[in-house]
Amino acid sequence: MKKDIHPDYHAITVQMTDGTTYQTRSTWGAEGETLILDIDPSSHPAWTGGPTRLNKEGGRVARFNQRFKGLGMRKKD
């Protein structure tokens, strides 16, 4: 490896939203600093299955059908 081109890789503490902490190695911050997370797997809806933001008017196809519903094209039954 080339010398003096790689970032400093050191130990930091990561604090989760529930207050738990763990030690890891990172290029973030300086040696011994604490990274406090705003969002983590214990609080983010993508991992917890919590409320999600849905489009009330539907997706692209639903919007297209709503916009052009009166043009005479009918669904076959």
Side-chain angles (χ1 to χ4, degrees):
M1 292 192 328
K2 293 182 179 179
K3 295 188 183 292
D4 301 326
I5 65 166
H6 300 286
D8 180 34
Y9 191 62
H10 50 270
I12 65 165
T13 303
V14 177
Q15 181 178 346
M16 308 289 269
T17 57
D18 63 357
T20 59
T21 61
Y22 65 92
Q23 293 283 325
T24 189
R25 292 179 53 81
S26 176
T27 58
W28 179 87
E31 177 81 28
E33 282 193 48
T34 300
L35 174 63
I36 301 172
L37 300 178
D38 293 331
I39 298 174
D40 63 16
S42 65
S43 66
H44 194 278
W47 291 289
T48 62
T52 58
R53 192 177 80 187
L54 298 174
N55 291 337
K56 292 180 181 176
E57 60 274 350
R60 288 183 181 197
V61 173
R63 286 191 311 240
F64 177 87
N65 289 337
Q66 179 66 27
R67 186 177 203 184
F68 299 106
K69 67 182 175 185
L71 289 180
M73 298 181 73
R74 297 184 183 158
K75 293 182 182 178
K76 292 184 180 180
D77 293 327

